[in-house]
Amino acid sequence: MRSSPFFLLFLPSRPHTSSSDKIADGRHDLFKHHLFNHYIMLPPDILITDKLPSALADIIKTYAPDRCFVLTDENTRELCLPLLAECTPLADAFHITIPAGEMNKSLETLASVWMSLSDKGATRHSLLVCLGGGMVTDLGGFAAATFKRGMAFINLPTTLLGMVDASIGGKTGIDFNGLKNEVGVFARALKTIIHPPFLQTLSETLFLDGFAEMLKHGLLSDEASWAELLNMDDSTELLKRMDGLLARSLQTKEDIVARDPHERSLRKVLNLGHTIGHGIETLDPPRLSLSHGHAVAHGLVGTLWLSTVKEGFPIAMMRQTVTFIREHYGRPALVCDDYDPLFTLLKHDKKNVGDDIRMVLLSDIGQPKIDVVVEKELLFEAFDFIREG
């Protein structure tokens, strides 16, 4: 696996001046210059801004909660919470910090958040501000949606994955019994605020996690969007176009969610790559140790192969996409002995009916097919393709 050009852009900021800091500073200027002139129709509960403290303050003042709470993990408390210091309505907020990492998206962590809310006197008229990546917004949204049968919450996603996927669309929840997102509810945030300068804190791995979801959105959208994403190998060009890529990815997901908010039919297409991806992510974590976005990227590899075999997805486009993913995400350390446990995990996917494993496949870019039944033998061939190609 070669070093990704994305790594040049998404290094953590440092107090001293270095070449990487200059790149980060330049990116910040480009976001200011480009992003907020980009015309896009988003729902009123999603805001893109580089003026986070004042925007958040205005929203809180308008909502007028009786108490404010801020939920962070150990990383976002250190790296991101200081950026809210000038948000005066949070001056007296209660802070709740949970351990970082997907392994803490658990019932135990959820209960600790409920306990903190209860001990500090939260009511149905209080407000929870969820500052973090997808784990924080998923768990925090679920905690808010169920505490006192529902209190308001605001999402402040700090990762690319959170911005383009986890924090929007109204899905909240936790992992349970060794399964991804097994327990949760649909509950939209009062507001989701996208603050692009947060991307300056991301490592290469975290950036690529979010880019995998953007690639999924490109495959669901149109050939031009897909091609633009695959052509982002030049770091300078990526920098200039990140504003439009981010905005279009948000638009793609929200267009789908607006038509099917509770995933009765159409919204299932957003699970493209996730059936296999969630299985790989959950499978024997100590050995594979894959983040969500990387697992989804590998899930897309298997899904595109299945799409070619079952739905006639163009082979050339499949090969182009798979090559891009392997260059940036490598290959998972799957072995043949993983196939049966992986298949068992896939049987728990929420799209399944009875004993059938149902997946989202593509007949072409922008042409998804939902509830496609995939047989065990064909799935094992897809696992072979993920491993070997």
Side-chain angles (χ1 to χ4, degrees), residues 105-107 110 114 137-146 153 170-177 179-188 262-264 267 350:
K105 188 175 160 184
S106 64
L107 184 59
L110 176 66
W114 283 332
T137 57
D138 277 2
L139 186 145
F142 188 30
T146 49
F153 64 99
K171 281 187 176 180
T172 72
I174 59 169
D175 303 337
F176 181 71
N177 195 28
L179 300 169
K180 288 282 297 178
N181 301 318
E182 183 76 348
V183 182
V185 298
F186 288 97
R188 285 190 76 97
H262 295 124
E263 201 171 76
R264 304 299 184 194
R267 184 170 176 168
K350 290 180 282 294

PDB file of all heavy atoms in Angstrom, residues 105-107 110 114 137-146 153 170-177 179-188 262-264 267 350:
ATOM      1  N   LYS A 105     -18.665   2.506  21.854  1.00  0.00           N
ATOM      2  CA  LYS A 105     -20.026   2.801  21.407  1.00  0.00           C
ATOM      3  C   LYS A 105     -20.931   1.688  21.928  1.00  0.00           C
ATOM      4  O   LYS A 105     -21.484   0.879  21.187  1.00  0.00           O
ATOM      5  CB  LYS A 105     -20.059   2.888  19.879  1.00  0.00           C
ATOM      6  CG  LYS A 105     -21.358   3.376  19.273  1.00  0.00           C
ATOM      7  CD  LYS A 105     -21.182   3.509  17.774  1.00  0.00           C
ATOM      8  CE  LYS A 105     -22.475   3.510  17.020  1.00  0.00           C
ATOM      9  NZ  LYS A 105     -22.274   3.556  15.556  1.00  0.00           N
ATOM     10  N   SER A 106     -21.091   1.686  23.248  1.00  0.00           N
ATOM     11  CA  SER A 106     -21.645   0.530  23.940  1.00  0.00           C
ATOM     12  C   SER A 106     -22.755   0.921  24.900  1.00  0.00           C
ATOM     13  O   SER A 106     -22.939   2.107  25.227  1.00  0.00           O
ATOM     14  CB  SER A 106     -20.534  -0.167  24.733  1.00  0.00           C
ATOM     15  OG  SER A 106     -20.040   0.702  25.747  1.00  0.00           O
ATOM     16  N   LEU A 107     -23.462  -0.089  25.368  1.00  0.00           N
ATOM     17  CA  LEU A 107     -24.513   0.138  26.351  1.00  0.00           C
ATOM     18  C   LEU A 107     -23.939   0.727  27.629  1.00  0.00           C
ATOM     19  O   LEU A 107     -24.557   1.595  28.258  1.00  0.00           O
ATOM     20  CB  LEU A 107     -25.236  -1.181  26.633  1.00  0.00           C
ATOM     21  CG  LEU A 107     -26.447  -1.122  27.571  1.00  0.00           C
ATOM     22  CD1 LEU A 107     -27.508  -0.182  27.034  1.00  0.00           C
ATOM     23  CD2 LEU A 107     -27.016  -2.530  27.763  1.00  0.00           C
ATOM     24  N   LEU A 110     -23.285   4.392  26.994  1.00  0.00           N
ATOM     25  CA  LEU A 110     -24.583   5.061  26.899  1.00  0.00           C
ATOM     26  C   LEU A 110     -25.177   5.283  28.283  1.00  0.00           C
ATOM     27  O   LEU A 110     -25.658   6.385  28.602  1.00  0.00           O
ATOM     28  CB  LEU A 110     -25.529   4.218  26.049  1.00  0.00           C
ATOM     29  CG  LEU A 110     -26.969   4.720  25.915  1.00  0.00           C
ATOM     30  CD1 LEU A 110     -27.024   6.033  25.153  1.00  0.00           C
ATOM     31  CD2 LEU A 110     -27.838   3.659  25.237  1.00  0.00           C
ATOM     32  N   TRP A 114     -26.407   8.772  30.206  1.00  0.00           N
ATOM     33  CA  TRP A 114     -27.708   8.935  30.868  1.00  0.00           C
ATOM     34  C   TRP A 114     -27.523   9.314  32.345  1.00  0.00           C
ATOM     35  O   TRP A 114     -28.209  10.193  32.854  1.00  0.00           O
ATOM     36  CB  TRP A 114     -28.502   7.635  30.804  1.00  0.00           C
ATOM     37  CG  TRP A 114     -29.152   7.328  29.497  1.00  0.00           C
ATOM     38  CD1 TRP A 114     -29.586   8.211  28.549  1.00  0.00           C
ATOM     39  CD2 TRP A 114     -29.477   6.016  29.007  1.00  0.00           C
ATOM     40  NE1 TRP A 114     -30.143   7.530  27.491  1.00  0.00           N
ATOM     41  CE2 TRP A 114     -30.104   6.195  27.744  1.00  0.00           C
ATOM     42  CE3 TRP A 114     -29.306   4.734  29.510  1.00  0.00           C
ATOM     43  CZ2 TRP A 114     -30.555   5.121  26.988  1.00  0.00           C
ATOM     44  CZ3 TRP A 114     -29.750   3.653  28.758  1.00  0.00           C
ATOM     45  CH2 TRP A 114     -30.361   3.844  27.511  1.00  0.00           C
ATOM     46  N   THR A 137     -21.525  11.267  17.912  1.00  0.00           N
ATOM     47  CA  THR A 137     -22.838  11.745  17.470  1.00  0.00           C
ATOM     48  C   THR A 137     -23.871  10.623  17.452  1.00  0.00           C
ATOM     49  O   THR A 137     -25.043  10.862  17.761  1.00  0.00           O
ATOM     50  CB  THR A 137     -22.746  12.415  16.082  1.00  0.00           C
ATOM     51  OG1 THR A 137     -22.200  11.507  15.128  1.00  0.00           O
ATOM     52  CG2 THR A 137     -21.874  13.667  16.148  1.00  0.00           C
ATOM     53  N   ASP A 138     -23.455   9.399  17.105  1.00  0.00           N
ATOM     54  CA  ASP A 138     -24.385   8.261  17.149  1.00  0.00           C
ATOM     55  C   ASP A 138     -24.864   8.004  18.574  1.00  0.00           C
ATOM     56  O   ASP A 138     -26.068   7.902  18.844  1.00  0.00           O
ATOM     57  CB  ASP A 138     -23.714   6.997  16.623  1.00  0.00           C
ATOM     58  CG  ASP A 138     -23.726   6.885  15.112  1.00  0.00           C
ATOM     59  OD1 ASP A 138     -24.227   7.810  14.456  1.00  0.00           O
ATOM     60  OD2 ASP A 138     -23.222   5.875  14.583  1.00  0.00           O
ATOM     61  N   LEU A 139     -23.906   7.867  19.485  1.00  0.00           N
ATOM     62  CA  LEU A 139     -24.248   7.549  20.868  1.00  0.00           C
ATOM     63  C   LEU A 139     -24.913   8.733  21.560  1.00  0.00           C
ATOM     64  O   LEU A 139     -25.910   8.571  22.279  1.00  0.00           O
ATOM     65  CB  LEU A 139     -22.992   7.116  21.623  1.00  0.00           C
ATOM     66  CG  LEU A 139     -23.182   6.602  23.056  1.00  0.00           C
ATOM     67  CD1 LEU A 139     -22.181   5.489  23.367  1.00  0.00           C
ATOM     68  CD2 LEU A 139     -23.035   7.726  24.088  1.00  0.00           C
ATOM     69  N   GLY A 140     -24.393   9.932  21.327  1.00  0.00           N
ATOM     70  CA  GLY A 140     -24.977  11.117  21.953  1.00  0.00           C
ATOM     71  C   GLY A 140     -26.394  11.379  21.485  1.00  0.00           C
ATOM     72  O   GLY A 140     -27.273  11.723  22.282  1.00  0.00           O
ATOM     73  N   GLY A 141     -26.625  11.211  20.191  1.00  0.00           N
ATOM     74  CA  GLY A 141     -27.977  11.393  19.680  1.00  0.00           C
ATOM     75  C   GLY A 141     -28.944  10.387  20.265  1.00  0.00           C
ATOM     76  O   GLY A 141     -30.091  10.718  20.595  1.00  0.00           O
ATOM     77  N   PHE A 142     -28.493   9.135  20.413  1.00  0.00           N
ATOM     78  CA  PHE A 142     -29.332   8.096  21.009  1.00  0.00           C
ATOM     79  C   PHE A 142     -29.614   8.422  22.479  1.00  0.00           C
ATOM     80  O   PHE A 142     -30.748   8.267  22.954  1.00  0.00           O
ATOM     81  CB  PHE A 142     -28.629   6.746  20.874  1.00  0.00           C
ATOM     82  CG  PHE A 142     -29.462   5.563  21.283  1.00  0.00           C
ATOM     83  CD1 PHE A 142     -30.848   5.562  21.164  1.00  0.00           C
ATOM     84  CD2 PHE A 142     -28.851   4.410  21.770  1.00  0.00           C
ATOM     85  CE1 PHE A 142     -31.609   4.454  21.529  1.00  0.00           C
ATOM     86  CE2 PHE A 142     -29.593   3.297  22.146  1.00  0.00           C
ATOM     87  CZ  PHE A 142     -30.979   3.324  22.029  1.00  0.00           C
ATOM     88  N   ALA A 143     -28.586   8.871  23.205  1.00  0.00           N
ATOM     89  CA  ALA A 143     -28.784   9.239  24.614  1.00  0.00           C
ATOM     90  C   ALA A 143     -29.822  10.353  24.743  1.00  0.00           C
ATOM     91  O   ALA A 143     -30.729  10.287  25.580  1.00  0.00           O
ATOM     92  CB  ALA A 143     -27.456   9.679  25.233  1.00  0.00           C
ATOM     93  N   ALA A 144     -29.704  11.374  23.892  1.00  0.00           N
ATOM     94  CA  ALA A 144     -30.643  12.493  23.955  1.00  0.00           C
ATOM     95  C   ALA A 144     -32.045  12.078  23.546  1.00  0.00           C
ATOM     96  O   ALA A 144     -33.042  12.474  24.159  1.00  0.00           O
ATOM     97  CB  ALA A 144     -30.143  13.636  23.066  1.00  0.00           C
ATOM     98  N   ALA A 145     -32.140  11.260  22.495  1.00  0.00           N
ATOM     99  CA  ALA A 145     -33.450  10.874  21.970  1.00  0.00           C
ATOM    100  C   ALA A 145     -34.233  10.003  22.943  1.00  0.00           C
ATOM    101  O   ALA A 145     -35.468   9.933  22.863  1.00  0.00           O
ATOM    102  CB  ALA A 145     -33.278  10.144  20.641  1.00  0.00           C
ATOM    103  N   THR A 146     -33.549   9.343  23.867  1.00  0.00           N
ATOM    104  CA  THR A 146     -34.218   8.434  24.795  1.00  0.00           C
ATOM    105  C   THR A 146     -34.305   8.967  26.221  1.00  0.00           C
ATOM    106  O   THR A 146     -35.149   8.504  26.997  1.00  0.00           O
ATOM    107  CB  THR A 146     -33.475   7.078  24.816  1.00  0.00           C
ATOM    108  OG1 THR A 146     -32.070   7.306  24.998  1.00  0.00           O
ATOM    109  CG2 THR A 146     -33.682   6.328  23.513  1.00  0.00           C
ATOM    110  N   PHE A 153     -30.821  17.798  20.714  1.00  0.00           N
ATOM    111  CA  PHE A 153     -29.370  17.704  20.618  1.00  0.00           C
ATOM    112  C   PHE A 153     -28.887  18.363  19.332  1.00  0.00           C
ATOM    113  O   PHE A 153     -29.614  18.482  18.339  1.00  0.00           O
ATOM    114  CB  PHE A 153     -28.898  16.251  20.692  1.00  0.00           C
ATOM    115  CG  PHE A 153     -29.344  15.359  19.560  1.00  0.00           C
ATOM    116  CD1 PHE A 153     -28.505  15.071  18.489  1.00  0.00           C
ATOM    117  CD2 PHE A 153     -30.609  14.776  19.570  1.00  0.00           C
ATOM    118  CE1 PHE A 153     -28.905  14.246  17.462  1.00  0.00           C
ATOM    119  CE2 PHE A 153     -31.027  13.937  18.544  1.00  0.00           C
ATOM    120  CZ  PHE A 153     -30.166  13.673  17.488  1.00  0.00           C
ATOM    121  N   GLY A 170     -30.372  11.420  10.734  1.00  0.00           N
ATOM    122  CA  GLY A 170     -31.253  11.045  11.824  1.00  0.00           C
ATOM    123  C   GLY A 170     -31.091   9.653  12.387  1.00  0.00           C
ATOM    124  O   GLY A 170     -31.920   9.210  13.183  1.00  0.00           O
ATOM    125  N   LYS A 171     -30.033   8.927  12.013  1.00  0.00           N
ATOM    126  CA  LYS A 171     -29.805   7.620  12.620  1.00  0.00           C
ATOM    127  C   LYS A 171     -28.939   7.781  13.865  1.00  0.00           C
ATOM    128  O   LYS A 171     -27.889   8.426  13.824  1.00  0.00           O
ATOM    129  CB  LYS A 171     -29.104   6.672  11.646  1.00  0.00           C
ATOM    130  CG  LYS A 171     -30.025   6.054  10.610  1.00  0.00           C
ATOM    131  CD  LYS A 171     -29.265   5.003   9.804  1.00  0.00           C
ATOM    132  CE  LYS A 171     -30.174   4.295   8.813  1.00  0.00           C
ATOM    133  NZ  LYS A 171     -29.446   3.268   8.034  1.00  0.00           N
ATOM    134  N   THR A 172     -29.381   7.196  14.969  1.00  0.00           N
ATOM    135  CA  THR A 172     -28.597   7.192  16.198  1.00  0.00           C
ATOM    136  C   THR A 172     -28.539   5.755  16.719  1.00  0.00           C
ATOM    137  O   THR A 172     -29.373   4.923  16.351  1.00  0.00           O
ATOM    138  CB  THR A 172     -29.229   8.085  17.281  1.00  0.00           C
ATOM    139  OG1 THR A 172     -30.425   7.443  17.780  1.00  0.00           O
ATOM    140  CG2 THR A 172     -29.597   9.458  16.730  1.00  0.00           C
ATOM    141  N   GLY A 173     -27.561   5.457  17.574  1.00  0.00           N
ATOM    142  CA  GLY A 173     -27.548   4.101  18.118  1.00  0.00           C
ATOM    143  C   GLY A 173     -26.204   3.699  18.682  1.00  0.00           C
ATOM    144  O   GLY A 173     -25.245   4.478  18.701  1.00  0.00           O
ATOM    145  N   ILE A 174     -26.151   2.448  19.125  1.00  0.00           N
ATOM    146  CA  ILE A 174     -24.944   1.853  19.693  1.00  0.00           C
ATOM    147  C   ILE A 174     -24.753   0.459  19.117  1.00  0.00           C
ATOM    148  O   ILE A 174     -25.674  -0.129  18.542  1.00  0.00           O
ATOM    149  CB  ILE A 174     -25.020   1.761  21.237  1.00  0.00           C
ATOM    150  CG1 ILE A 174     -26.234   0.910  21.666  1.00  0.00           C
ATOM    151  CG2 ILE A 174     -25.062   3.152  21.874  1.00  0.00           C
ATOM    152  CD1 ILE A 174     -26.245   0.532  23.137  1.00  0.00           C
ATOM    153  N   ASP A 175     -23.541  -0.058  19.275  1.00  0.00           N
ATOM    154  CA  ASP A 175     -23.277  -1.451  18.949  1.00  0.00           C
ATOM    155  C   ASP A 175     -23.708  -2.314  20.141  1.00  0.00           C
ATOM    156  O   ASP A 175     -23.634  -1.889  21.293  1.00  0.00           O
ATOM    157  CB  ASP A 175     -21.785  -1.656  18.662  1.00  0.00           C
ATOM    158  CG  ASP A 175     -21.271  -0.768  17.536  1.00  0.00           C
ATOM    159  OD1 ASP A 175     -22.095  -0.341  16.698  1.00  0.00           O
ATOM    160  OD2 ASP A 175     -20.057  -0.498  17.506  1.00  0.00           O
ATOM    161  N   PHE A 176     -24.141  -3.523  19.838  1.00  0.00           N
ATOM    162  CA  PHE A 176     -24.644  -4.384  20.920  1.00  0.00           C
ATOM    163  C   PHE A 176     -24.492  -5.850  20.527  1.00  0.00           C
ATOM    164  O   PHE A 176     -24.712  -6.217  19.372  1.00  0.00           O
ATOM    165  CB  PHE A 176     -26.122  -4.065  21.200  1.00  0.00           C
ATOM    166  CG  PHE A 176     -26.733  -4.866  22.315  1.00  0.00           C
ATOM    167  CD1 PHE A 176     -26.381  -4.630  23.636  1.00  0.00           C
ATOM    168  CD2 PHE A 176     -27.652  -5.865  22.042  1.00  0.00           C
ATOM    169  CE1 PHE A 176     -26.937  -5.374  24.668  1.00  0.00           C
ATOM    170  CE2 PHE A 176     -28.220  -6.612  23.060  1.00  0.00           C
ATOM    171  CZ  PHE A 176     -27.853  -6.364  24.387  1.00  0.00           C
ATOM    172  N   ASN A 177     -24.099  -6.672  21.482  1.00  0.00           N
ATOM    173  CA  ASN A 177     -23.975  -8.112  21.270  1.00  0.00           C
ATOM    174  C   ASN A 177     -23.007  -8.429  20.133  1.00  0.00           C
ATOM    175  O   ASN A 177     -23.211  -9.367  19.360  1.00  0.00           O
ATOM    176  CB  ASN A 177     -25.354  -8.729  20.995  1.00  0.00           C
ATOM    177  CG  ASN A 177     -25.357 -10.242  21.136  1.00  0.00           C
ATOM    178  OD1 ASN A 177     -24.573 -10.810  21.892  1.00  0.00           O
ATOM    179  ND2 ASN A 177     -26.237 -10.904  20.392  1.00  0.00           N
ATOM    180  N   LEU A 179     -22.510  -6.674  17.445  1.00  0.00           N
ATOM    181  CA  LEU A 179     -23.062  -6.304  16.142  1.00  0.00           C
ATOM    182  C   LEU A 179     -23.144  -4.792  16.007  1.00  0.00           C
ATOM    183  O   LEU A 179     -23.465  -4.083  16.959  1.00  0.00           O
ATOM    184  CB  LEU A 179     -24.450  -6.932  15.961  1.00  0.00           C
ATOM    185  CG  LEU A 179     -24.481  -8.462  16.024  1.00  0.00           C
ATOM    186  CD1 LEU A 179     -25.914  -8.960  16.105  1.00  0.00           C
ATOM    187  CD2 LEU A 179     -23.767  -9.061  14.815  1.00  0.00           C
ATOM    188  N   LYS A 180     -22.888  -4.306  14.800  1.00  0.00           N
ATOM    189  CA  LYS A 180     -22.865  -2.875  14.528  1.00  0.00           C
ATOM    190  C   LYS A 180     -24.265  -2.266  14.574  1.00  0.00           C
ATOM    191  O   LYS A 180     -25.199  -2.797  13.961  1.00  0.00           O
ATOM    192  CB  LYS A 180     -22.263  -2.618  13.135  1.00  0.00           C
ATOM    193  CG  LYS A 180     -20.774  -2.845  13.057  1.00  0.00           C
ATOM    194  CD  LYS A 180     -20.008  -1.680  13.650  1.00  0.00           C
ATOM    195  CE  LYS A 180     -20.261  -0.407  12.875  1.00  0.00           C
ATOM    196  NZ  LYS A 180     -19.566   0.743  13.471  1.00  0.00           N
ATOM    197  N   ASN A 181     -24.397  -1.156  15.294  1.00  0.00           N
ATOM    198  CA  ASN A 181     -25.634  -0.359  15.292  1.00  0.00           C
ATOM    199  C   ASN A 181     -26.875  -1.225  15.517  1.00  0.00           C
ATOM    200  O   ASN A 181     -27.916  -1.026  14.876  1.00  0.00           O
ATOM    201  CB  ASN A 181     -25.767   0.411  13.972  1.00  0.00           C
ATOM    202  CG  ASN A 181     -24.584   1.334  13.732  1.00  0.00           C
ATOM    203  OD1 ASN A 181     -24.105   1.999  14.647  1.00  0.00           O
ATOM    204  ND2 ASN A 181     -24.105   1.378  12.500  1.00  0.00           N
ATOM    205  N   GLU A 182     -26.768  -2.166  16.435  1.00  0.00           N
ATOM    206  CA  GLU A 182     -27.841  -3.127  16.656  1.00  0.00           C
ATOM    207  C   GLU A 182     -29.032  -2.509  17.380  1.00  0.00           C
ATOM    208  O   GLU A 182     -30.168  -2.943  17.208  1.00  0.00           O
ATOM    209  CB  GLU A 182     -27.288  -4.314  17.467  1.00  0.00           C
ATOM    210  CG  GLU A 182     -28.261  -5.441  17.715  1.00  0.00           C
ATOM    211  CD  GLU A 182     -28.489  -6.331  16.496  1.00  0.00           C
ATOM    212  OE1 GLU A 182     -28.069  -5.948  15.370  1.00  0.00           O
ATOM    213  OE2 GLU A 182     -29.087  -7.394  16.663  1.00  0.00           O
ATOM    214  N   VAL A 183     -28.788  -1.454  18.176  1.00  0.00           N
ATOM    215  CA  VAL A 183     -29.860  -0.807  18.939  1.00  0.00           C
ATOM    216  C   VAL A 183     -29.793   0.693  18.686  1.00  0.00           C
ATOM    217  O   VAL A 183     -28.724   1.310  18.790  1.00  0.00           O
ATOM    218  CB  VAL A 183     -29.724  -1.084  20.446  1.00  0.00           C
ATOM    219  CG1 VAL A 183     -30.879  -0.445  21.211  1.00  0.00           C
ATOM    220  CG2 VAL A 183     -29.654  -2.578  20.729  1.00  0.00           C
ATOM    221  N   GLY A 184     -30.928   1.294  18.344  1.00  0.00           N
ATOM    222  CA  GLY A 184     -30.941   2.733  18.100  1.00  0.00           C
ATOM    223  C   GLY A 184     -32.312   3.219  17.690  1.00  0.00           C
ATOM    224  O   GLY A 184     -33.272   2.430  17.611  1.00  0.00           O
ATOM    225  N   VAL A 185     -32.408   4.508  17.435  1.00  0.00           N
ATOM    226  CA  VAL A 185     -33.667   5.118  17.004  1.00  0.00           C
ATOM    227  C   VAL A 185     -33.376   6.134  15.904  1.00  0.00           C
ATOM    228  O   VAL A 185     -32.246   6.603  15.749  1.00  0.00           O
ATOM    229  CB  VAL A 185     -34.392   5.825  18.176  1.00  0.00           C
ATOM    230  CG1 VAL A 185     -34.769   4.833  19.259  1.00  0.00           C
ATOM    231  CG2 VAL A 185     -33.547   6.963  18.755  1.00  0.00           C
ATOM    232  N   PHE A 186     -34.410   6.469  15.146  1.00  0.00           N
ATOM    233  CA  PHE A 186     -34.329   7.575  14.211  1.00  0.00           C
ATOM    234  C   PHE A 186     -34.675   8.857  14.958  1.00  0.00           C
ATOM    235  O   PHE A 186     -35.760   8.973  15.537  1.00  0.00           O
ATOM    236  CB  PHE A 186     -35.314   7.385  13.055  1.00  0.00           C
ATOM    237  CG  PHE A 186     -34.928   6.298  12.088  1.00  0.00           C
ATOM    238  CD1 PHE A 186     -35.459   5.022  12.197  1.00  0.00           C
ATOM    239  CD2 PHE A 186     -34.027   6.554  11.059  1.00  0.00           C
ATOM    240  CE1 PHE A 186     -35.109   4.016  11.308  1.00  0.00           C
ATOM    241  CE2 PHE A 186     -33.665   5.560  10.163  1.00  0.00           C
ATOM    242  CZ  PHE A 186     -34.209   4.294  10.292  1.00  0.00           C
ATOM    243  N   ALA A 187     -33.760   9.810  14.972  1.00  0.00           N
ATOM    244  CA  ALA A 187     -34.006  11.095  15.638  1.00  0.00           C
ATOM    245  C   ALA A 187     -33.079  12.138  15.022  1.00  0.00           C
ATOM    246  O   ALA A 187     -31.853  12.036  15.141  1.00  0.00           O
ATOM    247  CB  ALA A 187     -33.755  10.982  17.150  1.00  0.00           C
ATOM    248  N   ARG A 188     -33.636  13.126  14.362  1.00  0.00           N
ATOM    249  CA  ARG A 188     -32.810  14.165  13.741  1.00  0.00           C
ATOM    250  C   ARG A 188     -32.344  15.161  14.789  1.00  0.00           C
ATOM    251  O   ARG A 188     -33.067  15.496  15.729  1.00  0.00           O
ATOM    252  CB  ARG A 188     -33.582  14.902  12.646  1.00  0.00           C
ATOM    253  CG  ARG A 188     -33.744  14.105  11.382  1.00  0.00           C
ATOM    254  CD  ARG A 188     -34.286  14.961  10.256  1.00  0.00           C
ATOM    255  NE  ARG A 188     -33.287  15.837   9.675  1.00  0.00           N
ATOM    256  CZ  ARG A 188     -32.599  15.565   8.572  1.00  0.00           C
ATOM    257  NH1 ARG A 188     -32.775  14.414   7.950  1.00  0.00           N
ATOM    258  NH2 ARG A 188     -31.724  16.429   8.091  1.00  0.00           N
ATOM    259  N   HIS A 262     -37.120   6.891   7.195  1.00  0.00           N
ATOM    260  CA  HIS A 262     -37.053   5.756   8.107  1.00  0.00           C
ATOM    261  C   HIS A 262     -36.639   4.453   7.433  1.00  0.00           C
ATOM    262  O   HIS A 262     -36.895   3.363   7.961  1.00  0.00           O
ATOM    263  CB  HIS A 262     -38.395   5.585   8.821  1.00  0.00           C
ATOM    264  CG  HIS A 262     -38.736   6.729   9.717  1.00  0.00           C
ATOM    265  ND1 HIS A 262     -39.906   7.452   9.604  1.00  0.00           N
ATOM    266  CD2 HIS A 262     -38.034   7.314  10.723  1.00  0.00           C
ATOM    267  CE1 HIS A 262     -39.930   8.410  10.514  1.00  0.00           C
ATOM    268  NE2 HIS A 262     -38.803   8.351  11.198  1.00  0.00           N
ATOM    269  N   GLU A 263     -36.003   4.564   6.271  1.00  0.00           N
ATOM    270  CA  GLU A 263     -35.397   3.421   5.579  1.00  0.00           C
ATOM    271  C   GLU A 263     -36.400   2.308   5.282  1.00  0.00           C
ATOM    272  O   GLU A 263     -36.144   1.126   5.516  1.00  0.00           O
ATOM    273  CB  GLU A 263     -34.216   2.872   6.403  1.00  0.00           C
ATOM    274  CG  GLU A 263     -33.230   2.056   5.565  1.00  0.00           C
ATOM    275  CD  GLU A 263     -31.974   1.706   6.332  1.00  0.00           C
ATOM    276  OE1 GLU A 263     -32.034   0.795   7.182  1.00  0.00           O
ATOM    277  OE2 GLU A 263     -30.947   2.335   6.081  1.00  0.00           O
ATOM    278  N   ARG A 264     -37.559   2.683   4.762  1.00  0.00           N
ATOM    279  CA  ARG A 264     -38.531   1.679   4.356  1.00  0.00           C
ATOM    280  C   ARG A 264     -38.143   1.048   3.016  1.00  0.00           C
ATOM    281  O   ARG A 264     -38.438  -0.111   2.763  1.00  0.00           O
ATOM    282  CB  ARG A 264     -39.920   2.303   4.239  1.00  0.00           C
ATOM    283  CG  ARG A 264     -40.415   3.013   5.496  1.00  0.00           C
ATOM    284  CD  ARG A 264     -40.518   2.072   6.669  1.00  0.00           C
ATOM    285  NE  ARG A 264     -41.085   2.739   7.846  1.00  0.00           N
ATOM    286  CZ  ARG A 264     -41.047   2.261   9.068  1.00  0.00           C
ATOM    287  NH1 ARG A 264     -40.461   1.093   9.298  1.00  0.00           N
ATOM    288  NH2 ARG A 264     -41.575   2.924  10.084  1.00  0.00           N
ATOM    289  N   ARG A 267     -33.953   4.498   1.106  1.00  0.00           N
ATOM    290  CA  ARG A 267     -32.800   4.838   1.939  1.00  0.00           C
ATOM    291  C   ARG A 267     -31.846   3.662   2.112  1.00  0.00           C
ATOM    292  O   ARG A 267     -30.675   3.850   2.458  1.00  0.00           O
ATOM    293  CB  ARG A 267     -33.266   5.355   3.299  1.00  0.00           C
ATOM    294  CG  ARG A 267     -32.108   5.825   4.172  1.00  0.00           C
ATOM    295  CD  ARG A 267     -32.549   6.558   5.411  1.00  0.00           C
ATOM    296  NE  ARG A 267     -31.403   6.902   6.231  1.00  0.00           N
ATOM    297  CZ  ARG A 267     -31.431   7.745   7.257  1.00  0.00           C
ATOM    298  NH1 ARG A 267     -32.569   8.329   7.610  1.00  0.00           N
ATOM    299  NH2 ARG A 267     -30.346   8.000   7.952  1.00  0.00           N
ATOM    300  N   LYS A 350     -29.518  -5.692   8.973  1.00  0.00           N
ATOM    301  CA  LYS A 350     -30.905  -5.242   9.175  1.00  0.00           C
ATOM    302  C   LYS A 350     -31.747  -5.280   7.900  1.00  0.00           C
ATOM    303  O   LYS A 350     -32.970  -5.189   7.972  1.00  0.00           O
ATOM    304  CB  LYS A 350     -30.895  -3.829   9.782  1.00  0.00           C
ATOM    305  CG  LYS A 350     -30.397  -3.801  11.224  1.00  0.00           C
ATOM    306  CD  LYS A 350     -30.404  -2.405  11.808  1.00  0.00           C
ATOM    307  CE  LYS A 350     -29.253  -1.579  11.335  1.00  0.00           C
ATOM    308  NZ  LYS A 350     -27.934  -2.080  11.817  1.00  0.00           N
TER     309      LYS A 350
END
